[in-house]
Amino acid sequence: MSETIIDIKNAVVSYRENVALQGVSLRVKAGEFVGIIGPNGAGKTTLLTVVNGLGRLLSGQVKVLGHRLVPGNGRSLRKKVGYVAQVQNIDPRMPMNVREVVMIGRYGRLGLLSRPGGRDWEVVDEMLELVGMSHLARRPIGHLSGGEQQRVAIARCLAQEPELFLLDEPTASLDWKAQTDILELVREVHEARTLTTLFVTHDLGCLPVACDRVVLMKAGQIWGEGRPADLLTSENLSHLYDMPVAEVEKRRAENIPV
Amino acid sequence: MSIFEYQFMQNAILTALLGGVACGSIGVFVVLMHMPFIGVCMSHAAFAGALLGLWLGFNPLIGAFVFSLLAAAVVGPLADRGELSPETSVGVIFSLMLGLAFLFMGVMPGTKSGALELLWGSILTNTRGDVILLALVAVLVVGLIVAFYKEIQATIFHRGMALSVGIPATAILYGILFLTGATITASLRSVGGILIFSLILNPAAAAYQLTYSMKRMFLFAAGFGVLSGWMGLLFSYLFNIPSGATIVVTSSVIFLLAAVFSPKRRVKGWQAKPLAEAGHD
């Protein structure tokens, strides 16, 4: 039986007066692929920041990869956790090339005052090859399209040699082709590297088919969890998105994002 | 007797060299982290703090340093949390600091020559002590950039991403603000409170036009900073015009030339180059 590597108990997080997570509990086992879905403002991103130690817990307990998180001790954990955010608005004139950006993934592991060596550059080149970006390795990062930038972000994450792979709306604002390419790449990476993956999205159409389990979030709480086929019913989605069942069914039939 | 044999001129040349390196290097952070608003506030706060020191009789440079860090401590987190837009931060803090500066100047007894020197700067009256202070700051700035280059590079690229891979990006940011305060303070007497920010921004902004390599950008920015100082000093000597203002005008001309001839304006052509030729390590 797989080991539990994420164990969140009654986590409460708030930003000033806004409570982003209200007593959330979640357990994830090694090797699982968990999709987290819910409307905007549901607390999905906050849940990821709790997992990688960047979120500030008001109360509750979080244990990830054996680290019991308390304020200020998340840095050593984050070296083992890969995080891909939404497409970033990168300055087109930023003086860094693709290879250098992927190398940032190695920096946390290298530690302060040490320089990347030949082995680190080998890992970087290997990851660029894996995500199909070797041909653009020396391009300035700001010259890439959104889809290419997300591939670079995934390569940077993998260069980190993470045990846990967190993706926060990685396909948001990408076109259909780039979305499907990224979803396929995430699936391949999850399987080839035997990672534990948490994939956040607000768009049902972007939920990877590889998900073992889906967590539904609404208003800072986990509203349901289970196998995708059991959980993603029109009734549940109707509750989740405050939308009549007939409207949900119509949108699903027409493949319009819920 | 050659002009270079006078100690005041030797001090001025050394000041231009060290100030150019320190200000140019700090400017790279200001340009790439999109925080000119923090730099403007810090430099004017330094001016106000120095005047407070002159008025109350303590070392003006201590006042400058404390005030510039206080401005960074107020503006930085407010802008960071999105509670104030950068424009609003500049509007409020910049005008407050100028108001305080002129208030301190107004209530100061006696002649205002010391205050005016801090306002306009006077590189030709720098003492050997000023040069030593600037040398210490320049060595600190360059040394820390070299030692923590990879952490700085990641923080500049994206602070949230740097944090997410386990880099102490918040400490790096505060370190950068501390170095900015130290550089502004050590250069204040040479270039002046009103003009110092231009010497930080212009050389780095010029370097930004010319390269896609961050290492080269640091080198170009430091080089342009030194060039601005030396050329400004030369023109100031030749035409008998104020040195601080001439240095800043020279740095602006360098920026304009870099912007006009920037290869980054021809992105399509650059992208069409073979990748091996186009790349930088």
Side-chain angles (χ1 to χ4, degrees):
Chain A
M1 194 172 156
S2 298
E3 173 200 4
T4 297
I5 60 167
I6 299 175
D7 190 2
I8 302 172
K9 288 179 185 154
N10 291 317
V12 177
V13 176
S14 83
Y15 304 112
R16 301 276 168 103
E17 67 272 18
N18 298 323
V19 182
L21 287 187
Q22 307 187 45
V24 165
S25 296
L26 180 70
R27 287 162 74 98
V28 178
K29 290 182 175 157
E32 267 195 293
F33 194 133
V34 179
I36 301 169
I37 191 159
N40 293 331
K44 307 182 294 295
T45 298
T46 305
L47 181 60
L48 290 193
T49 64
V50 164
V51 172
N52 78 353
L54 282 173
R56 284 172 182 262
L57 276 183
L58 272 187
S59 64
Q61 291 181 356
V62 177
K63 198 172 174 187
V64 180
L65 297 169
H67 293 249
R68 177 122 183 243
L69 290 174
V70 291
N73 82 337
R75 198 147 67 83
S76 55
L77 167 70
R78 284 197 288 280
K79 294 173 185 175
K80 301 179 193 172
V81 179
Y83 186 90
V84 176
Q86 289 185 27
V87 176
Q88 305 288 322
N89 192 13
I90 296 175
D91 178 355
R93 296 182 172 204
M94 173 60 71
M96 281 180 79
N97 67 30
V98 168
R99 209 164 168 246
E100 290 172 320
V101 171
V102 176
M103 177 55 85
I104 291 175
R106 307 288 298 164
Y107 287 173
R109 281 186 176 264
L110 280 169
L112 294 173
L113 300 173
S114 56
R115 306 263 170 213
R119 167 73 192 134
D120 298 301
W121 287 112
E122 275 173 25
V123 172
V124 165
D125 291 336
E126 193 187 318
M127 296 312 148
L128 281 169
E129 182 75 40
L130 185 76
V131 302
M133 292 292 292
S134 294
H135 63 298
L136 296 177
R138 288 168 193 276
R139 257 300 140 80
I141 184 70
H143 288 193
L144 302 190
S145 68
E148 289 167 340
Q149 284 183 10
Q150 288 308 73
R151 282 176 178 271
V152 172
I154 290 171
R156 190 245 310 146
C157 251
L158 297 177
Q160 204 177 330
E161 297 178 297
E163 294 173 43
L164 195 52
F165 192 26
L166 309 181
L167 298 111
D168 186 7
E169 311 257 12
T171 55
S173 77
L174 297 181
D175 63 34
W176 174 79
K177 165 118 184 13
Q179 278 186 0
T180 51
D181 286 348
I182 293 294
L183 291 175
E184 180 57 18
L185 179 62
V186 168
R187 187 189 63 76
E188 284 171 14
V189 163
H190 171 80
E191 286 171 5
R193 307 246 145 198
T194 55
L195 293 166
T196 306
T197 303
L198 266 60
F199 188 105
V200 159
T201 181
H202 68 275
D203 181 358
L204 261 188
C206 289
L207 198 63
V209 287
C211 281
D212 302 310
R213 185 153 59 108
V214 175
V215 172
L216 303 184
M217 288 194 74
K218 185 178 181 181
Q221 292 177 315
I222 290 183
W223 190 79
E225 57 180 302
R227 291 193 312 138
D230 299 335
L231 204 64
L232 297 178
T233 62
S234 296
E235 288 73 22
N236 283 345
L237 293 174
S238 157
H239 276 291
L240 191 67
Y241 289 98
D242 293 323
M243 195 183 278
V245 174
E247 178 66 19
V248 171
E249 285 175 347
K250 180 177 166 235
R251 289 185 181 216
R252 294 183 88 180
E254 293 172 4
N255 210 14
I256 299 170
V258 177
Chain B
M1 191 174 181
S2 158
I3 184 71
F4 297 110
E5 288 175 48
Y6 290 104
Q7 189 170 22
F8 78 88
M9 189 50 95
Q10 290 169 1
N11 287 344
I13 290 168
L14 283 173
T15 299
L17 170 72
L18 298 164
V21 169
C23 289
S25 304
I26 287 295
V28 174
F29 301 124
V30 171
V31 170
L32 292 181
M33 296 176 85
H34 304 286
M35 54 179 205
F37 61 97
I38 294 182
V40 169
C41 290
M42 287 178 79
S43 53
H44 288 84
F47 176 52
L51 289 179
L52 181 69
L54 269 187
W55 174 38
L56 297 181
F58 62 86
N59 187 338
L61 295 187
I62 292 174
F65 190 52
V66 170
F67 261 57
S68 68
L69 291 189
L70 279 176
V74 171
V75 178
L78 282 178
D80 209 22
R81 290 200 294 260
E83 289 171 17
L84 274 183
S85 71
E87 294 81 4
T88 310
S89 307
V90 170
V92 174
I93 304 289
F94 170 82
S95 51
L96 170 68
M97 289 304 163
L98 267 189
L100 283 176
F102 289 116
L103 179 69
F104 297 150
M105 209 188 290
V107 295
M108 204 180 287
T111 63
K112 310 280 194 266
S113 61
L116 290 173
E117 207 166 86
L118 285 172
L119 183 64
W120 305 117
S122 176
I123 197 169
L124 295 172
T125 59
N126 271 6
T127 62
R128 197 39 67 101
D130 293 329
V131 175
I132 290 170
L133 175 67
L134 203 45
L136 289 174
V137 169
V139 167
L140 187 70
V141 168
V142 174
L144 289 175
I145 290 172
V146 171
F148 295 103
Y149 180 74
K150 71 179 196 305
E151 287 78 15
I152 286 170
Q153 185 194 39
T155 305
I156 284 176
F157 177 64
H158 196 282
R159 191 143 60 91
M161 197 198 71
L163 277 171
S164 78
V165 299
I167 289 170
T170 305
I172 296 284
L173 176 71
Y174 283 107
I176 288 170
L177 290 176
F178 176 85
L179 289 180
T180 307
T183 303
I184 287 170
T185 302
S187 313
L188 193 64
R189 221 197 288 269
S190 314
V191 187
I194 298 289
L195 302 176
I196 179 65
F197 188 64
S198 306
L199 191 59
I200 288 177
L201 187 67
N202 292 348
Y208 179 62
Q209 306 300 319
L210 300 177
T211 180
Y212 281 108
S213 157
M214 201 180 287
K215 280 181 187 160
R216 286 183 202 178
M217 186 172 165
F218 273 111
L219 291 173
F220 288 176
F224 289 150
V226 175
L227 191 66
S228 304
W230 283 348
M231 302 258 298
L233 202 54
L234 179 69
F235 294 139
S236 158
Y237 173 72
L238 290 177
F239 303 112
N240 193 24
I241 47 181
S243 54
T246 315
I247 289 170
V248 166
V249 170
T250 308
S251 73
S252 304
V253 171
I254 291 174
F255 167 74
L256 283 175
L257 289 173
V260 168
F261 295 106
S262 170
K264 292 186 175 181
R265 297 176 72 191
R266 298 182 290 276
V267 170
K268 295 253 181 244
W270 193 92
Q271 284 184 335
K273 282 185 184 180
L275 287 168
E277 188 186 330
H280 298 293
D281 272 327

